[in-house]
Amino acid sequence: MHEALTTEQRIKEAARKVFIRKGLAGARMQEIADEANINKAMLHYYYRNKEQLFKNIFEEVVGEFGPKIMGVLGSDLPLKEKISAFVTQYLGMLNANPFIPLFLFSELRNQPEEVIEKVGIRSSGMLDQLDKQLKREAKAGRIKPVSTAQFIVNLISLSVFPFLAQPLVQGIFAMDEKQFNQFIEERKTVIPEFIMSAITIKKEVT
């Protein structure tokens, strides 16, 4: 049993590397088998096709990171710290699994309810907690009124776009892989500062 688990884990690690290099469309089962140092028949014993393997990895990533990320947004952290913690975790997850965004958006088009349930956005109570916090901050005069939907969409889109458009970003700004990773690291500071600057009510200097 232990050997079987070890083999399956090797397959998943190999598949992650191939999916990062080629994406789902460009990946081939033979390439994954070669990366895992097993024959193709053994790979098919565990997974019928690359789509099944990809979905399995996707569900593992969502299962590991989804609750953590949703937990941050539903936590009692001050708003600025909450944004920073979310962005740090979210970018970290995407940087380790850059093949996830395209697959996620594809799945959202095909089966949105299933994806939303897996991520646990509705059931976590996060939306209510965040909504109350945003309203408290606005009522106290610290931020401009902003809906929870607009806030989350801005937060996620600013984080995920560079991964969805990575070839475009690297091409326009002549970034190699190392420079792109540095760019993502910088966004852990840039995004929270940008969002807080956009919603914070500036005190007039008299």
Side-chain angles (χ1 to χ4, degrees), residues 146-162:
V146 57
S147 73
T148 304
Q150 293 287 359
F151 180 83
I152 291 178
V153 169
N154 284 337
L155 194 56
I156 291 177
S157 60
L158 285 168
S159 300
V160 78
F161 177 77

Side-chain angles (χ1 to χ4, degrees), residues 2-206:
H2 177 72
E3 179 61 31
L5 290 174
T6 301
T7 301
E8 186 169 12
Q9 191 57 44
R10 228 169 57 232
I11 290 171
K12 289 178 183 177
E13 289 304 312
R16 282 174 184 258
K17 293 177 183 177
V18 174
F19 289 141
I20 287 171
R21 290 198 302 263
K22 300 291 185 66
L24 176 59
R28 297 289 179 267
M29 290 292 271
Q30 184 62 61
E31 189 175 1
I32 294 171
D34 292 343
E35 186 75 41
N37 198 27
I38 60 173
N39 60 51
K40 196 174 177 181
M42 177 65 75
L43 177 57
H44 280 290
Y45 173 78
Y46 286 93
Y47 295 97
R48 294 191 308 274
N49 51 53
K50 65 179 181 179
E51 287 77 15
Q52 183 191 32
L53 176 53
F54 196 104
K55 189 171 183 179
N56 185 279
I57 293 172
F58 167 74
E59 289 176 352
E60 279 191 1
V61 172
V62 170
E64 180 183 355
F65 289 98
K68 293 178 184 177
I69 292 170
M70 293 306 109
V72 168
L73 289 180
S75 71
D76 295 326
L77 285 171
L79 189 60
K80 186 175 181 179
E81 291 179 31
K82 178 176 291 189
I83 294 170
S84 182
F86 172 88
V87 169
T88 296
Q89 287 204 31
Y90 197 63
L91 289 181
M93 181 269 288
L94 294 178
N95 210 22
N97 304 276
F99 51 83
I100 289 295
L102 283 173
F103 181 71
L104 177 61
F105 283 99
S106 173
E107 288 294 283
L108 280 169
R109 283 196 302 270
N110 297 328
Q111 42 188 355
E113 289 298 325
E114 185 177 334
V115 174
I116 290 170
E117 183 179 346
K118 280 175 184 160
V119 174
I121 295 175
R122 289 177 182 163
S123 61
S124 66
M126 173 273 291
L127 293 176
D128 289 339
Q129 288 291 101
L130 183 58
D131 185 63
K132 289 175 183 176
Q133 184 176 29
L134 292 172
K135 286 176 178 174
R136 282 198 309 270
E137 293 294 302
K139 187 175 181 180
R142 288 187 285 269
I143 68 169
K144 302 167 188 175
V146 57
S147 73
T148 304
Q150 293 287 359
F151 180 83
I152 291 178
V153 169
N154 284 337
L155 194 56
I156 291 177
S157 60
L158 285 168
S159 300
V160 78
F161 177 77
F163 294 96
L164 288 172
Q166 182 173 348
L168 179 65
V169 172
Q170 287 187 251
I172 290 174
F173 301 105
M175 295 180 183
D176 58 23
E177 201 68 28
K178 184 177 180 180
Q179 289 169 321
F180 180 79
N181 288 335
Q182 181 58 39
F183 171 75
I184 294 300
E185 193 64 29
E186 290 168 0
R187 288 191 70 73
K188 292 178 181 179
T189 301
V190 170
I191 294 172
E193 288 180 350
F194 182 83
I195 289 181
M196 286 305 299
S197 176
I199 65 176
T200 299
I201 293 177
K202 306 296 190 296
K203 304 295 182 183
E204 292 186 7
V205 178
T206 57

